[in-house]
Amino acid sequence: MPFRAHVVALDITGAQLIQALEEGLSQYQNLKGGFPHVSGMSYSFDPSAKVFQRVKNVTINGKRIDKSKTYSLATSNFLANGGDGFYALKNTEKRPASSTRPPQISDLVMQAIVNQYDLKPKTDNRIINMAKGE
C-alpha cells in the first residue's frame, strides 16, 4: 500500500460505473495501475475489443447492472478525484464523510489482516477476461 489514500463514498449511476470500468480497462495492454479491481460486483471484459467497448457484462450482488440506478461505491480519494484516468468517478456525488478524519485504506487493510489472522486467498470470478476464458 504505497499511498496514504483514504476512503471516499460516492453515489454513482450504473452508466457512470460502466464508464469507470471502461476507463480502467482502456490501458489494459500497457499494464498501467488503473486496472479496475472490484468487490461486491463482477464484470467480464474483452481486451481485444476497441477501447471503451471492452466491458461486456456487469453484475452487482448477482443482478445485472441498471444504467439508470444509483449505487454506492467506496474507493480511494485518489481515484475519486480522477486519478489513474478514472474521470467518470470525478463526476459523481461525494457522500459526506462520517468522521473528520476518514480512515486510511492501508490502516483498514492491516486491521483486516490482523483480524483474519490466516489469509486464505481464492479466486471467485469477480473479473473475467473473456479472451482467456477465465
Side-chain angles (χ1 to χ4, degrees):
M1 311 271 358
F3 304 109
R4 294 298 293 169
H6 65 267
V7 177
V8 175
L10 311 173
D11 287 327
I12 187 168
T13 66
Q16 288 172 311
L17 183 51
I18 291 169
Q19 180 65 29
L21 292 171
E22 290 285 8
E23 289 169 348
L25 293 167
S26 68
Q27 296 291 318
Y28 176 78
Q29 67 280 2
N30 297 328
L31 301 175
K32 289 190 68 173
F35 184 85
H37 295 276
V38 298
S39 179
M41 63 178 288
S42 63
Y43 69 92
S44 60
F45 72 101
D46 182 352
S48 65
K50 290 182 180 180
V51 173
F52 296 106
Q53 295 178 8
R54 293 180 172 170
V55 174
K56 301 303 177 190
N57 184 39
V58 181
T59 60
I60 298 176
N61 294 323
K63 295 180 183 175
R64 191 166 197 60
I65 194 167
D66 179 340
K67 291 181 181 182
S68 62
K69 184 176 177 181
T70 299
Y71 297 92
S72 297
L73 175 77
T75 190
S76 71
N77 60 312
F78 173 73
L79 296 180
N81 289 321
D84 276 343
F86 284 95
Y87 304 112
L89 299 182
K90 192 173 183 175
N91 298 320
T92 61
E93 184 71 30
K94 298 346 179 233
R95 289 186 173 191
S98 59
S99 68
T100 56
R101 184 178 176 271
Q104 298 288 320
I105 293 173
S106 56
D107 293 339
L108 295 173
V109 170
M110 287 185 284
Q111 190 59 53
I113 291 169
V114 168
N115 291 347
Q116 188 173 351
Y117 189 70
D118 290 325
L119 297 178
K120 297 178 178 93
K122 63 178 181 169
T123 58
D124 60 4
N125 295 319
R126 277 186 273 172
I127 303 170
I128 299 170
N129 181 336
M130 296 171 66
K132 294 182 178 181
E134 296 174 340

